[in-house]
């Protein structure tokens, strides 16, 4: 029974990773597609490849997910696996709801909310201090940093090119966007695929196959990297329209700056803070930052408000779904 549960949890984790890929594909490529720097198909292929590479570049975020959100060591292996499975179902459900509505919500926070909600329902230890330090504080500050840096850098770029020929300048930025979109996709793989690795390790530890603190095996890294890449290649056109056109009409220069700033924040958070921050929050706030350099009214704040509402609801709604799933599954499977 436990082996079957482990297999089911790993399958659901990879399913979550796949939904993460098509849900968050827009994060890496929406700006490049909307400015016509890349065709949609070329952008998707590039994003899928760099998601795969990024997923193999580190394990710091995976360790945070596996060890710093909930502690399933005090319950039976079977119950621990049900907790993880419930958390995944909560996260997948919220991903699908927001994808259907075209809202770029955070797969990261859906997963953390799902694990937290299932942990509360099961009455296991939830590491609230770590969640505050590595989830809530970065959740608040990463969009602020993304907005501020993007605004400041865009102002600097506009000053530098103030005397340049507009057509030639935009053509150069359109070329540069290929590199910035690749950097964004690499950061997305570095952040988001690692979260799935962490969940799979949590299940394997709960099932007794590995011990706390063991290195993440290569097959876990490769399977998570492959799942998110396949999901990315399948596309996320609903969310891409929201990020690429509904918040603000982007030009190549603003697209390049937004992607560059967002990618930098993702790398710093993964390698320096080991914090599982939201790719969605970071790129969306950066797009708003570059848009605000036109004029504040250029940003469609009504759309931004809807996105903000989805951000606020993500953790509690994913937690609620996960808790309900746990209350249903636990009596059946134990």
């Amino acid at each position: 029974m436990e082996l079957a549960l482990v297999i089911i949890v790993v399958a659901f984790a990879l399913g979550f990773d796949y939904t993460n890929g098509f849900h968050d594909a827009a994060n890496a490529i929406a700006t490049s597609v909307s400015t016509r720097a890349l065709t949609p198909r070329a952008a998707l292929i590039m994003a899928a490849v760099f998601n795969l590479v990024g997923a193999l570049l580190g394990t710091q975020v995976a360790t945070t997910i596996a060890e710093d959100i909930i502690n399933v060591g005090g319950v039976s292996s079977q119950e621990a696996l049900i907790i993880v499975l419930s958390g995944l179902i909560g996260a997948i459900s919220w991903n699908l709801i927001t994808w259907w509505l075209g809202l770029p919500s955070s797969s990261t926070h859906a997963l953390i909310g799902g694990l937290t909600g299932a942990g509360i329902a099961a009455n296991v230890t939830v590491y609230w201090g770590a969640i505050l330090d590595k989830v809530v504080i970065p959740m608040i500050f990463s969009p602020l940093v993304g907005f501020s840096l993007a605004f400041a850098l865009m102002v600097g770029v506009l000053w530098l090119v103030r005397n340049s020929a507009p057509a030639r300048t935009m053509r150069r930025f359109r070329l540069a966007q290929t590199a910035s979109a690749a950097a964004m996709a690499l950061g997305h793989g570095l952040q988001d695929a690692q979260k799935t690795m962490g969940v799979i390790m949590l299940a394997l530890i709960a099932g007794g196959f590995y011990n706390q603190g063991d290195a993440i095996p290569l097959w876990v890294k490769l399977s998570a990297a492959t799942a998110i890449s396949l999901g990315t290649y399948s596309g996320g056109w609903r969310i891409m329209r929201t990020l690429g056109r509904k918040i603000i009409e982007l030009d190549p220069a603003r697209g390049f700056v937004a992607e560059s700033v967002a990618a930098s924040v993702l790398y710093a958070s993964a390698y320096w803070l080991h914090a599982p921050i939201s790719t969605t929050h970071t790129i969306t706030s950066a797009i708003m930052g570059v848009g605000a350099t036109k004029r504040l009214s250029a940003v469609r704040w009504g759309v931004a408000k809807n996105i903000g509402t989805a951000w606020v609801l993500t953790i509690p709604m994913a937690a609620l779904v996960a808790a309900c799933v746990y209350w249903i599954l636990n009596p059946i499977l134990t």
Side-chain angles (χ1 to χ4, degrees), residues 69-76 79-80 82-84 86 114-128 319 322-324 326-327 330:
I69 305 300
I70 58 174
N71 180 6
V72 294
V75 297
S76 68
E79 186 173 359
I82 294 170
I83 293 169
V84 178
S86 302
L115 290 174
T116 303
I120 293 171
N123 201 29
V124 300
T125 300
V126 177
Y127 296 121
W128 295 110
C324 291
Y326 173 81
W327 288 323
N330 193 48

Side-chain angles (χ1 to χ4, degrees), residues 26-319:
N27 294 339
I29 61 176
T31 56
S32 298
V33 172
S34 69
T35 61
R36 296 178 176 82
L38 293 168
T39 65
R41 188 56 58 193
L44 281 170
I45 292 171
M46 183 203 68
V49 170
F50 280 94
N51 262 304
L52 180 68
V53 175
L56 300 175
L57 292 182
T59 58
Q60 295 92 337
V61 173
T63 301
T64 296
I65 294 294
E67 299 178 4
D68 295 346
I69 305 300
I70 58 174
N71 180 6
V72 294
V75 297
S76 68
S77 297
Q78 198 166 324
E79 186 173 359
L81 290 167
I82 294 170
I83 293 169
V84 178
L85 177 60
S86 302
L88 283 167
I89 293 173
I92 291 170
S93 301
W94 188 248
N95 268 1
L96 292 175
I97 290 168
T98 50
W99 167 79
W100 180 254
L101 295 173
L103 291 174
S105 69
S106 169
S107 297
T108 301
H109 296 144
L111 178 59
I112 291 167
L115 290 174
T116 303
I120 293 171
N123 201 29
V124 300
T125 300
V126 177
Y127 296 121
W128 295 110
I131 290 174
L132 176 65
D133 292 341
K134 294 189 175 183
V135 179
V136 176
I137 291 176
M139 179 177 72
I140 295 170
F141 281 100
S142 61
L144 294 176
V145 170
F147 183 95
S148 303
L149 282 180
F151 182 89
L153 184 58
M154 193 66 229
V155 170
V157 166
L158 290 173
W159 185 83
L160 286 174
V161 301
R162 65 193 186 283
N163 296 323
S164 303
R168 181 186 298 176
T169 301
M170 288 301 119
R171 190 161 55 246
R172 289 173 177 171
F173 275 116
R174 193 171 282 116
L175 290 173
Q177 265 199 281
T178 305
S180 62
M184 186 68 204
L186 196 71
H188 181 240
L190 179 65
Q191 275 279 345
D192 287 52
Q194 280 196 50
K195 292 150 195 169
T196 300
M197 295 178 205
V199 174
I200 293 175
M201 276 303 290
L202 191 59
L204 294 173
I205 291 168
F209 293 94
Y210 289 89
N211 297 314
Q212 196 92 349
D214 284 353
I216 296 174
L218 181 60
W219 73 265
V220 172
K221 295 179 183 179
L222 289 174
S223 59
T226 302
I228 199 169
S229 295
L230 290 173
T232 298
Y233 185 70
S234 71
W237 306 109
R238 291 174 181 272
I239 294 170
M240 196 182 300
R241 282 194 294 269
T242 299
L243 278 178
R245 296 196 180 278
K246 289 187 179 178
I247 295 175
I248 186 174
E249 292 289 340
L250 287 170
D251 54 55
R254 287 179 169 82
F256 170 75
V257 170
E259 289 170 338
S260 300
V261 167
S264 300
V265 174
L266 291 176
Y267 298 148
S269 298
Y271 286 121
W272 179 35
L273 300 175
H274 303 175
I277 69 165
S278 168
T279 314
T280 306
H281 290 192
T282 308
I283 186 62
T284 305
S285 59
I287 289 172
M288 292 178 187
V290 298
T293 59
K294 284 186 175 181
R295 59 188 185 280
L296 285 178
S297 60
V299 178
R300 297 184 179 104
W301 295 107
V303 176
K305 180 183 176 182
N306 292 338
I307 293 170
T309 301
W311 288 0
V312 172
L313 290 176
T314 293
I315 289 179
M317 291 304 294

